[in-house]
Amino acid sequence: MDENQQALTHVAFLLADLEVHEAWLEYFAYGGNQGLWVVDAYLNGLAPLPAHDCDVLALVLNERLSDLRLPHLASYSG
């Protein structure tokens, strides 16, 4: 697990002003494979996600930050 990526995703989630279920719905729509509770645990630093799922979640959060005219903070793996 990339702790830096997870920490940046957590900050992006906080700034995105989304509820966990809202972020998860977008993540799932973009092809995320994990359940709501797993994503919730990842966003709170309690569990890892596979790289693909981290990247999908980063995409969702960065798009939300763009909508709010904030810089992209969630990083991508690789």
Side-chain angles (χ1 to χ4, degrees):
M1 170 174 64
D2 184 342
E3 291 179 11
N4 187 48
Q5 182 181 17
Q6 189 174 24
L8 289 171
T9 301
H10 176 73
V11 172
F13 172 67
L14 294 175
L15 292 173
D17 194 32
L18 293 171
E19 298 291 328
V20 172
H21 71 276
E22 294 171 314
W24 179 81
L25 282 173
E26 289 295 319
Y27 153 86
F28 191 75
Y30 275 91
N33 297 313
Q34 304 300 316
L36 173 63
W37 301 115
V38 176
V39 171
D40 186 17
Y42 176 77
L43 289 171
N44 289 290
L46 301 173
L49 281 180
H52 166 77
D53 293 293
C54 291
D55 290 345
V56 172
L57 194 53
L59 173 67
V60 166
L61 294 173
N62 284 332
E63 285 188 353
R64 172 66 175 167
L65 292 175
S66 287
D67 292 344
L68 297 172
R69 300 195 189 286
L70 295 170
H72 292 188
L73 294 175
S75 64
Y76 299 95
S77 57

